[in-house]
Amino acid sequence: MTETVLRVRGITKSFGARAVLRGIDLDAHRGDVIAILGGSGSGKSTFLRCLNLLELPDAGTIEIAGAAAPLVHDTQGRARIADPRALNDLRAKTAMVFQNFNLWTHMTVLDNIVAAPVHVHGVPRAEAADRAQALLEKVGMAGFAAHWPRQLSGGQQQRVAIARALATDPDLMLFDEPTSALDPERVREVLDLMRALADEGRTMLIVTHEMAFARDVSTRVVHVRDGVIESMGPPALMFGADASPVFRAFLSH
Amino acid sequence: MSDDLPIATLLGFGPDGWGWALVSGAGLTLAVALGAMAIGTLLGALLTAAQASRAVWLARAAAAYGVILRGVPELLVVLLLYFGAPGMLAAGAALFGLPPPGSPPALLTGCLAIGLVSAAYQAEVFRGGMLAVPRGQIEAAMAAGMGPFARFRRVIAPQVLHHVLPPLGNIWQFNLKDSALVSIAGLAELMRVSLVAAGSTRRPFLFFATAMVLYLVMTSASTALFRLAERRGQRWAGGR
């Protein structure tokens, strides 16, 4: 029996009159690598951003490694988080890697990596810095600790962003199209790194357009379409002959 | 008769010299400008927060404040406060059945008048600075579990500071010069001292030129300080 790291029930989200998510349930166990695929506008990124509540769902429950931040609704039915502290606790168990890296431009590479451990988790700075150096080595960026983000290429920035995400040893890592903003020749270095993380048992949810990566690395493929999970299963099944016709039609685009 | 006194005596620190008066005037000028800047920063930050508020009436009130205070002459604000304050205070005190408290100190009135105007300009500067922080970097701080205070302290404030330092330097310089308007309220700041000295010695050119030099010393010294602060914060942005 493996530990459930993520438990999502009944997530819905509308932007104005447009229903983007129409009821999503998903579980992830420790070590799962879940590739979330779908066309643009399918709701896959919105779903990912709901998990750490960067987008506030209209309804539903999210539980991450035992933490939850329940929603309450006001008289007009608008959702908000009941307890802001629970919100930050939930977020602190996750880490997110963004399409546009979003490194803090006024901090050095080292300061980017130690910021959350020191200022959110209360780790002593010296200890966090030691760990940051080890992480930089791991992502192939040893020697860049004193650089500023603007001095790095996109692939290098994304690898630093992954080191930043790893710095708090998160229970769940969320990747929001991590290679979509990279030059084609830089995609490989980031995908290789993500594959190494998968191999060491990190629990990862990855919104991506990299089909080969989803097929080769993920433990489960989730196809989101029109705000619901259209089909999901292990990659061997999803990329095999018995896959849902709708998913196969999506793949053949 | 001081017509024939040598310049060194007039500007000196002896019994016939205006040296001390000029120095303390310059000190008061700095005090008014500093007080105004502090009031302006505090109120300006509040106005920026109010303008970003979801409460529409609050946002509108803050915007209206800016339009009004930036749209009338500073001198008018000084006069309004200086001559209006005793009446307003008396009316306020009467509400509680208290005797009229009289005029507030001219230094306070001066700081407040220049500060109220400064706040309107500083609010605009802060608003621009906030908009310059990329949304994605704030989201990265949220995703890392930073609460509103940590986000402000670690991500927003340092970047806003970088963007607002140059325009704040300009506002500071305006504060410094606008403090001369408080001379009308009788505060013995540099402008007032030079007016009095010019009148009583009948050497206006000498004293106004001296005031000019003192103002220039203060503005260029503070410009240099702001430049230094800007350069310190610029390494990450690509400057040097």
Side-chain angles (χ1 to χ4, degrees), chain A residues 179-190:
Chain A
T179 58
S180 297
L182 297 179
D183 296 334
E185 61 267 30
R186 297 290 190 173
V187 170
R188 169 80 14 223
E189 64 189 52
V190 170

Side-chain angles (χ1 to χ4, degrees), chain B residues 79-149:
Chain B
L79 291 174
L80 188 75
L81 270 195
Y82 182 65
F83 292 109
M88 282 188 283
L89 283 178
L95 280 180
F96 298 95
L98 297 168
S103 304
L107 177 60
L108 184 70
T109 315
C111 287
L112 204 59
I114 306 297
L116 290 179
V117 177
S118 188
Y121 287 98
Q122 290 193 49
E124 284 301 291
V125 167
F126 291 145
R127 205 159 65 96
M130 298 287 279
L131 291 176
V133 183
R135 175 77 197 155
Q137 293 191 36
I138 299 172
E139 286 192 345
M142 290 173 154
M146 290 188 198
F149 181 77

Side-chain angles (χ1 to χ4, degrees), chain A residues 49 91 104 106 119 150, chain B residues 137 139 154 159 235-236:
Chain A
R49 289 165 56 81
R91 283 173 171 166
W104 297 306
H106 62 293
H119 300 304
R150 67 176 168 85
Chain B
Q137 293 191 36
E139 286 192 345
R154 304 294 163 191
Q159 298 205 28
R235 283 178 305 156
W236 55 272

Side-chain angles (χ1 to χ4, degrees), chain B residues 45-82:
Chain B
L46 288 176
L47 285 168
T48 306
Q51 282 206 49
S53 163
R54 257 173 291 180
V56 179
W57 65 270
L58 194 61
R60 290 222 180 113
Y65 178 95
V67 170
I68 294 169
L69 272 287
R70 278 180 281 121
V72 301
E74 278 90 333
L75 182 57
L76 184 58
V77 180
V78 173
L79 291 174
L80 188 75
L81 270 195
Y82 182 65

